Amino acid sequence: MESSLPQYHKVVRLAHRPTGKIDPPSRFLPVSTEPIPTIQNYSKSTAQHETETKVLVHRLYLSLDPAMRGWMSSAKSYLPPVPIGEVMRGATIGEVVAIYHDESPRSDFNETTDTSKKGKLKIGDIVSDFSNVGGWQEYALVPERSVRKVETLARLAGNSTVRGGSLPPSVELPLPIHLSILGTTGLTAYFGLIDVCSPKPPYQSGPGNHHPETILVTAAAGAGGSIV
């Protein structure tokens, strides 16, 4: 299984903190060729959760978000700045190419009879991860719990119907959509608008008030605001 993987992959690391334009990009975010991450190196650098399930993910898509400009600076934010020399933070969509439990590679946990060692993922699953896991690199070795399986449209629809109509097998959503409207930004926009803002339709705005509420999106150019 591992012999079919390449020995090296491309990695994007933060080399300098920009104070203005990121120009040229290669000065701030150079692309390097490095050895593929291994379970041995992961165990040496991680003291906690040594026996938890890890997955090696081959990145298929990287997300480029406005928030990443802030992560490159030293300013305080909802996430700590990306350290100089570290892999650039960014959400991704990828394919599971190896699974490890107790530092041993497995191709499919469903084949084991020990239910305590069954993983949620299998080889070939498509997964998404948030910005603070793995980052911008072709291959990333991450805890299984840190990634989310991307379900197909047919599975989400119960493999049969969508709003009462038949679902053709060929109908499927493009994978990059799970980095936007079906990803973290979409969830932020949805719950921020529906749960936090909680706008009311005209008939719920108050006695005698039949005018809809007006919503002002102050960051409409951002990833979440543009979806709202």
Side-chain angles (χ1 to χ4, degrees), residues 133-146:
V133 181
W136 278 19
Q137 50 185 328
E138 283 189 289
Y139 290 84
L141 186 60
V142 298
E144 183 187 43
R145 58 182 170 80
S146 68

PDB file of all heavy atoms in Angstrom, residues 133-146:
ATOM      1  N   VAL A 133      -5.804  22.058  10.281  1.00  0.00           N
ATOM      2  CA  VAL A 133      -5.346  20.672  10.221  1.00  0.00           C
ATOM      3  C   VAL A 133      -4.653  20.428   8.883  1.00  0.00           C
ATOM      4  O   VAL A 133      -5.284  20.527   7.843  1.00  0.00           O
ATOM      5  CB  VAL A 133      -6.530  19.685  10.380  1.00  0.00           C
ATOM      6  CG1 VAL A 133      -6.020  18.257  10.328  1.00  0.00           C
ATOM      7  CG2 VAL A 133      -7.272  19.937  11.672  1.00  0.00           C
ATOM      8  N   GLY A 134      -3.379  20.110   8.935  1.00  0.00           N
ATOM      9  CA  GLY A 134      -2.678  19.725   7.709  1.00  0.00           C
ATOM     10  C   GLY A 134      -2.218  20.867   6.849  1.00  0.00           C
ATOM     11  O   GLY A 134      -1.053  21.005   6.538  1.00  0.00           O
ATOM     12  N   GLY A 135      -3.154  21.722   6.433  1.00  0.00           N
ATOM     13  CA  GLY A 135      -2.791  22.890   5.653  1.00  0.00           C
ATOM     14  C   GLY A 135      -2.427  22.598   4.209  1.00  0.00           C
ATOM     15  O   GLY A 135      -2.804  21.579   3.638  1.00  0.00           O
ATOM     16  N   TRP A 136      -1.673  23.532   3.629  1.00  0.00           N
ATOM     17  CA  TRP A 136      -1.350  23.479   2.201  1.00  0.00           C
ATOM     18  C   TRP A 136      -0.174  22.553   1.925  1.00  0.00           C
ATOM     19  O   TRP A 136       0.977  22.973   1.871  1.00  0.00           O
ATOM     20  CB  TRP A 136      -1.043  24.888   1.701  1.00  0.00           C
ATOM     21  CG  TRP A 136      -2.276  25.673   1.383  1.00  0.00           C
ATOM     22  CD1 TRP A 136      -3.539  25.418   1.814  1.00  0.00           C
ATOM     23  CD2 TRP A 136      -2.355  26.843   0.565  1.00  0.00           C
ATOM     24  NE1 TRP A 136      -4.414  26.345   1.327  1.00  0.00           N
ATOM     25  CE2 TRP A 136      -3.708  27.241   0.556  1.00  0.00           C
ATOM     26  CE3 TRP A 136      -1.424  27.594  -0.135  1.00  0.00           C
ATOM     27  CZ2 TRP A 136      -4.143  28.357  -0.140  1.00  0.00           C
ATOM     28  CZ3 TRP A 136      -1.864  28.707  -0.830  1.00  0.00           C
ATOM     29  CH2 TRP A 136      -3.203  29.074  -0.840  1.00  0.00           C
ATOM     30  N   GLN A 137      -0.470  21.296   1.757  1.00  0.00           N
ATOM     31  CA  GLN A 137       0.527  20.315   1.353  1.00  0.00           C
ATOM     32  C   GLN A 137      -0.194  19.185   0.621  1.00  0.00           C
ATOM     33  O   GLN A 137      -1.374  18.941   0.865  1.00  0.00           O
ATOM     34  CB  GLN A 137       1.308  19.782   2.545  1.00  0.00           C
ATOM     35  CG  GLN A 137       0.459  19.295   3.706  1.00  0.00           C
ATOM     36  CD  GLN A 137       1.307  18.892   4.898  1.00  0.00           C
ATOM     37  OE1 GLN A 137       2.427  18.422   4.745  1.00  0.00           O
ATOM     38  NE2 GLN A 137       0.777  19.092   6.084  1.00  0.00           N
ATOM     39  N   GLU A 138       0.513  18.545  -0.292  1.00  0.00           N
ATOM     40  CA  GLU A 138      -0.129  17.516  -1.113  1.00  0.00           C
ATOM     41  C   GLU A 138      -0.603  16.328  -0.298  1.00  0.00           C
ATOM     42  O   GLU A 138      -1.649  15.745  -0.577  1.00  0.00           O
ATOM     43  CB  GLU A 138       0.829  17.055  -2.205  1.00  0.00           C
ATOM     44  CG  GLU A 138       0.952  18.020  -3.366  1.00  0.00           C
ATOM     45  CD  GLU A 138       1.743  17.424  -4.505  1.00  0.00           C
ATOM     46  OE1 GLU A 138       2.970  17.264  -4.353  1.00  0.00           O
ATOM     47  OE2 GLU A 138       1.134  17.108  -5.549  1.00  0.00           O
ATOM     48  N   TYR A 139       0.171  15.936   0.704  1.00  0.00           N
ATOM     49  CA  TYR A 139      -0.200  14.828   1.575  1.00  0.00           C
ATOM     50  C   TYR A 139      -0.108  15.300   3.025  1.00  0.00           C
ATOM     51  O   TYR A 139       0.838  16.008   3.401  1.00  0.00           O
ATOM     52  CB  TYR A 139       0.723  13.625   1.374  1.00  0.00           C
ATOM     53  CG  TYR A 139       0.534  12.918   0.055  1.00  0.00           C
ATOM     54  CD1 TYR A 139       1.175  13.370  -1.100  1.00  0.00           C
ATOM     55  CD2 TYR A 139      -0.278  11.790  -0.045  1.00  0.00           C
ATOM     56  CE1 TYR A 139       1.002  12.728  -2.316  1.00  0.00           C
ATOM     57  CE2 TYR A 139      -0.450  11.142  -1.262  1.00  0.00           C
ATOM     58  CZ  TYR A 139       0.191  11.616  -2.387  1.00  0.00           C
ATOM     59  OH  TYR A 139       0.012  10.975  -3.581  1.00  0.00           O
ATOM     60  N   ALA A 140      -1.075  14.895   3.841  1.00  0.00           N
ATOM     61  CA  ALA A 140      -1.061  15.268   5.248  1.00  0.00           C
ATOM     62  C   ALA A 140      -1.476  14.071   6.094  1.00  0.00           C
ATOM     63  O   ALA A 140      -2.437  13.370   5.759  1.00  0.00           O
ATOM     64  CB  ALA A 140      -1.989  16.448   5.513  1.00  0.00           C
ATOM     65  N   LEU A 141      -0.740  13.843   7.170  1.00  0.00           N
ATOM     66  CA  LEU A 141      -1.063  12.774   8.120  1.00  0.00           C
ATOM     67  C   LEU A 141      -1.736  13.424   9.314  1.00  0.00           C
ATOM     68  O   LEU A 141      -1.113  14.198  10.045  1.00  0.00           O
ATOM     69  CB  LEU A 141       0.210  12.041   8.533  1.00  0.00           C
ATOM     70  CG  LEU A 141       0.028  10.804   9.428  1.00  0.00           C
ATOM     71  CD1 LEU A 141      -0.816   9.748   8.737  1.00  0.00           C
ATOM     72  CD2 LEU A 141       1.390  10.241   9.826  1.00  0.00           C
ATOM     73  N   VAL A 142      -3.025  13.138   9.505  1.00  0.00           N
ATOM     74  CA  VAL A 142      -3.814  13.840  10.517  1.00  0.00           C
ATOM     75  C   VAL A 142      -4.658  12.845  11.312  1.00  0.00           C
ATOM     76  O   VAL A 142      -4.920  11.726  10.841  1.00  0.00           O
ATOM     77  CB  VAL A 142      -4.733  14.883   9.855  1.00  0.00           C
ATOM     78  CG1 VAL A 142      -3.924  15.950   9.127  1.00  0.00           C
ATOM     79  CG2 VAL A 142      -5.711  14.220   8.892  1.00  0.00           C
ATOM     80  N   PRO A 143      -5.107  13.214  12.514  1.00  0.00           N
ATOM     81  CA  PRO A 143      -6.022  12.341  13.261  1.00  0.00           C
ATOM     82  C   PRO A 143      -7.325  12.154  12.492  1.00  0.00           C
ATOM     83  O   PRO A 143      -7.835  13.091  11.872  1.00  0.00           O
ATOM     84  CB  PRO A 143      -6.260  13.125  14.564  1.00  0.00           C
ATOM     85  CG  PRO A 143      -5.086  14.041  14.692  1.00  0.00           C
ATOM     86  CD  PRO A 143      -4.715  14.414  13.293  1.00  0.00           C
ATOM     87  N   GLU A 144      -7.846  10.940  12.542  1.00  0.00           N
ATOM     88  CA  GLU A 144      -9.100  10.657  11.840  1.00  0.00           C
ATOM     89  C   GLU A 144     -10.226  11.563  12.321  1.00  0.00           C
ATOM     90  O   GLU A 144     -11.075  11.988  11.540  1.00  0.00           O
ATOM     91  CB  GLU A 144      -9.486   9.190  12.038  1.00  0.00           C
ATOM     92  CG  GLU A 144     -10.740   8.778  11.280  1.00  0.00           C
ATOM     93  CD  GLU A 144     -11.191   7.371  11.619  1.00  0.00           C
ATOM     94  OE1 GLU A 144     -11.180   7.017  12.820  1.00  0.00           O
ATOM     95  OE2 GLU A 144     -11.548   6.629  10.695  1.00  0.00           O
ATOM     96  N   ARG A 145     -10.214  11.882  13.613  1.00  0.00           N
ATOM     97  CA  ARG A 145     -11.277  12.695  14.191  1.00  0.00           C
ATOM     98  C   ARG A 145     -11.271  14.138  13.662  1.00  0.00           C
ATOM     99  O   ARG A 145     -12.245  14.871  13.844  1.00  0.00           O
ATOM    100  CB  ARG A 145     -11.139  12.729  15.719  1.00  0.00           C
ATOM    101  CG  ARG A 145      -9.800  13.270  16.193  1.00  0.00           C
ATOM    102  CD  ARG A 145      -9.654  13.253  17.705  1.00  0.00           C
ATOM    103  NE  ARG A 145      -8.291  13.539  18.111  1.00  0.00           N
ATOM    104  CZ  ARG A 145      -7.773  14.760  18.166  1.00  0.00           C
ATOM    105  NH1 ARG A 145      -8.523  15.802  17.861  1.00  0.00           N
ATOM    106  NH2 ARG A 145      -6.521  14.936  18.556  1.00  0.00           N
ATOM    107  N   SER A 146     -10.174  14.550  13.018  1.00  0.00           N
ATOM    108  CA  SER A 146     -10.059  15.940  12.570  1.00  0.00           C
ATOM    109  C   SER A 146     -10.596  16.166  11.162  1.00  0.00           C
ATOM    110  O   SER A 146     -10.627  17.302  10.689  1.00  0.00           O
ATOM    111  CB  SER A 146      -8.592  16.389  12.625  1.00  0.00           C
ATOM    112  OG  SER A 146      -7.816  15.704  11.659  1.00  0.00           O
TER     113      SER A 146
END
